[in-house]
Amino acid sequence: MNQEHVFDKATALTPSENGKAWSGHIPASHENMVGPFGGAIAATLLNAVLQHPYRQGEPISLTVNFAAPIKDAPFEVTAQAVRNNKSTQHWTITMYQQEEVAVTGTALLAHRRETWSDTEAAPPEAPSPEQVPLLSTDNLPRWTHNYALRMLRGLVVAGSPEQTDSRSLLWVRDEPLRPLDWLSLTAICDTFFPRLFVRRQRIFPIGTVSMTTYFLTDGEALDRQGTGYLLAAAQANRFYNNYFDQSGTIWGRDGELLATTHQIVYFRD
Amino acid sequence: MNQEHVFDKATALTPSENGKAWSGHIPASHENMVGPFGGAIAATLLNAVLQHPYRQGEPISLTVNFAAPIKDAPFEVTAQAVRNNKSTQHWTITMYQQEEVAVTGTALLAHRRETWSDTEAAPPEAPSPEQVPLLSTDNLPRWTHNYALRMLRGLVVAGSPEQTDSRSLLWVRDEPLRPLDWLSLTAICDTFFPRLFVRRQRIFPIGTVSMTTYFLTDGEALDRQGTGYLLAAAQANRFYNNYFDQSGTIWGRDGELLATTHQIVYFRD
């Protein structure tokens, strides 16, 4: 029998005792500097929607607000379908820890229909992943050990001078191999090293406070990606008085734009 | 005595009878094709937070999910501070109409501290607003009459061929003049004509389903803008099977990046 994948363990939810919520506990495998990797938290919130018996359709958007650090302890997640329309379903999601709100979220699911389609954004130019060295994550936070990261831009190297921009570009996939799905795509949207670290080539106390992802594809396209590398690009628009923003794009190896992802991050310096 | 500004009337909220919510009704001045202008709805949700007695700090992020069209009738808005930290405050917001959820939202407020700051994004090149013709809004939906729009890119002209991209660039300010504040900036983030219309130069049934704005400045900077024009730029990344995304930036006339704004939009063709 196959062992359960570390990402599935990290994002697992079981019905809670009262049957009105889900229980989970992100394990040490996904530790970050303060609490667990935000991408795993976001995926866990989406999981509460996707495995809900009322769920209809595929994810279109997900917003996750990190209201407090998640402690190394169990949490509860509630997901409520607040509005069902003919083809869309709006959800609100809350993660509680020790009876306090720790994370809030909203998600939109929909049944897509075939229409005129076009991708305006151009995929970033990049050599194939096999031509890019694999990053050693030995000295990085535990969560990075669950990803194969091949960095084209956006390394943070102790002693490097400040950079003129904070752009990141990397090939990324789950480690060990795991076929892409909505949950792993959600988490991959948060695998960029923080803009501030990249720009200033130093580590600062930071924390994402809100993250929004738009899913610009469907489940069949995710299946086509399989266990392949995704190309991920991100940049900041502005750092201003202890917050900065980040916008990113996640591309399939076949050049398909899978998601755009945005976040705003608290920092101290 | 000065007459109340049309935008203040549109976003006004009064305590509801039970004292636990706010009541509002967006007037005909802000009508769009189906229901009121989304920017006015988003600003009304933010208003429920900003005028709340528990409010602390200035907006950092706002997400608004349009779950159902707003009818020409009163609505109720509830805003709840779900988590108060030392310098941040997380809110959930709901707009109800006829006892059903019509709009959901989340907002983050914070007290900013002075830090190292830098704007990486470059303001788009544009001639001064006085050099750009004012758009006649006579034949456009009513909400546009509340804005002075000077379009550099992103016009929709009947009979025009499809464009190769959907980029918009315009100078925009409230009409009549009104000093910029968080509410008007929120609404201005939604004043772009839809990407699909710009790209294909035709009108289709569309509706924004989720919009997220990151406020990258503070109240003092808004005050400095006064009643001046703002430069607004937007583009789509992908149109795919009845949804497309949009990312925009809103700049002060002095070149300051005030906000980044993202949305995902349903369409039929």
Side-chain angles (χ1 to χ4, degrees), chain A residues 112-113 118 218 240 242, chain B residues 112-113 199 218 240 242:
Chain A
R112 287 182 181 269
R113 281 192 321 106
D118 185 70
D218 54 29
Y240 180 69
N242 75 303
Chain B
R112 288 182 182 269
R113 280 193 320 107
R199 171 67 187 269
D218 55 28
Y240 180 69
N242 75 302

Side-chain angles (χ1 to χ4, degrees), chain B residues 200-246:
Chain B
R200 301 192 66 191
Q201 292 293 309
R202 279 173 52 201
I203 309 300
F204 296 88
I206 65 137
T208 298
V209 288
S210 187
M211 177 165 73
T212 289
T213 296
Y214 298 140
F215 301 99
L216 301 174
T217 189
D218 55 28
E220 281 177 35
L222 298 196
D223 290 344
R224 279 197 300 275
Q225 300 301 327
T227 59
Y229 275 93
L230 305 183
L231 185 61
Q235 60 179 60
N237 289 293
R238 188 175 195 197
F239 306 84
Y240 180 69
N241 283 358
N242 75 302
Y243 289 89
F244 65 84
D245 76 328
Q246 169 181 302

